[in-house]
Amino acid sequence: MQVLNKSNENKNEEGILIVVEGIDGSGKSTQIHLVDRWLRSKGYDVFFTEWNSSETVKEITSKGKKKASLTPMTFSLLHSTDFADRYEKNIYPLLRAGYIVLADRYIYTALARDTVRGCEKSWVKNMYNYARKPDIVFYFKVPIETAVNRIISGRPKLKHYEAGMDLGLSKDEYESYRIFQGRIVDEYESMVADENFIVIDGTLEIERQQNTVRRNVLNILKTKNKIHDIIS
Ligand code: ADP
């Protein structure tokens, strides 16, 4: 299979892969949507993809989640299948076609979450070893309380897996959610240096964050010789 043939890696890929990561409520979707609109308005070919969105897989994942019948391993495998489906059908071919691919969560989400759920990190890493390294990973860093308040304001109920209730951290779902998110933050933090994350202060105003994000995107466009008339 072409995607899995490591000798092809990055050779023919003209496109740019930009990833946002961070816990729920860190503001990453807000930022990547603004980048999406900005790049499209400048005439770039952009493709947006988000975690857990494969049409082929998401139905079964959703069923398993609703019944709370997933183990850490089956949870991990379903998400990696979802990712593989999107990678083969969209991410890989569009990168080869020169698109800017914007990914709301990438393999780092699996590495962080599945490890917190007790899966062996090397096992998870191995499952995603075909995935191309992004050109930029923005990591949105926020205190747990900020993120949690953004998410739970107006939400009467958290979902079972979202709150990490499968881990037995607390009987109270909000408390479980806090502990779970805290552990995910620790996992993200452990990746910052090795994976060259660009850390964005997610507590700043949306516009200030967007300025920093755009500056970094412009740098990569320049490096890859992809500047249109974009400077604005
Ligand atoms: P994520 O994708 O990381 O879960 P979102 O971008 O969906 O986060 O943002 C979660 C909530 O927080 C949304 O209601 C959004 O409007 C709000 N939000 C995003 N960025 C900021 C910010 N910098 N300051 C205050 N609220 C924000």
Side-chain angles (χ1 to χ4, degrees):
M1 195 190 332
Q2 206 177 18
V3 167
L4 298 181
N5 182 349
K6 297 287 269 179
S7 63
N8 281 335
E9 202 176 29
N10 286 4
K11 260 190 208 159
N12 300 312
E13 294 179 18
E14 292 297 320
I16 296 176
L17 176 59
I18 299 172
V19 168
V20 289
E21 288 280 0
I23 55 172
D24 295 335
S26 58
K28 60 192 176 310
S29 308
T30 303
Q31 293 297 325
I32 202 74
H33 278 118
L34 289 169
V35 169
D36 190 349
R37 275 170 44 192
W38 173 58
L39 290 173
R40 284 178 203 270
S41 76
K42 299 296 176 189
Y44 283 91
D45 292 324
V46 180
F47 180 76
F48 171 78
T49 182
E50 63 187 327
W51 198 247
N52 199 24
S53 65
S54 148
E55 286 305 323
T56 320
V57 184
K58 78 177 182 196
E59 203 176 311
I60 180 146
T61 311
S62 163
K63 225 182 223 172
K65 282 182 178 172
K66 267 191 203 127
K67 287 197 209 152
S69 64
L70 304 175
T71 67
M73 207 172 182
T74 55
F75 185 97
S76 179
L77 288 167
L78 282 172
H79 284 85
S80 75
T81 307
D82 186 291
F83 180 86
D85 188 51
R86 289 181 296 114
Y87 196 84
E88 280 196 285
K89 286 182 183 154
N90 306 125
I91 300 174
Y92 181 74
L94 288 169
L95 285 171
R96 289 196 59 150
Y99 271 65
I100 300 178
V101 174
L102 305 177
D104 189 340
R105 298 186 175 278
Y106 198 62
I107 64 171
Y108 311 101
T109 285
L111 285 170
R113 279 187 186 168
D114 298 351
T115 306
V116 168
R117 285 208 151 85
C119 297
E120 194 66 50
K121 197 171 210 165
S122 56
W123 179 78
V124 182
K125 222 173 195 172
N126 205 33
M127 248 185 328
Y128 289 91
N129 69 359
Y130 58 87
R132 172 193 158 154
K133 209 171 157 46
D135 295 283
I136 313 180
V137 182
F138 293 106
Y139 168 56
F140 293 85
K141 185 172 173 161
V142 284
I144 301 289
E145 279 311 307
T146 308
V148 168
N149 289 338
R150 282 180 192 168
I151 289 296
I152 66 182
S153 64
R155 289 271 295 278
K157 209 165 159 42
L158 294 163
K159 294 177 202 150
H160 182 78
Y161 287 96
E162 174 184 59
M165 292 302 280
D166 55 317
L167 298 177
L169 301 169
S170 166
K171 288 205 165 78
D172 178 75
E173 62 179 15
Y174 293 103
E175 181 56 18
S176 171
Y177 186 65
R178 281 189 184 85
I179 301 169
F180 183 50
Q181 297 295 320
R183 292 188 183 176
I184 291 171
V185 166
D186 292 342
E187 284 299 325
Y188 273 132
E189 291 290 338
S190 76
M191 290 188 255
V192 167
D194 286 353
E195 304 292 349
N196 293 319
F197 287 176
I198 294 177
V199 181
I200 305 288
D201 180 350
T203 64
L204 297 176
E205 279 176 13
I206 290 172
E207 203 180 324
R208 274 190 70 187
Q209 291 184 51
Q210 185 63 194
N211 288 340
T212 309
V213 167
R214 287 188 187 184
R215 212 170 41 244
N216 281 284
V217 171
L218 276 174
N219 281 342
I220 197 74
L221 290 172
K222 275 183 200 148
T223 312
K224 292 244 179 172
N225 249 341
K226 279 198 173 266
I227 290 288
H228 296 172
D229 56 343
I230 194 161
I231 315 288
S232 61

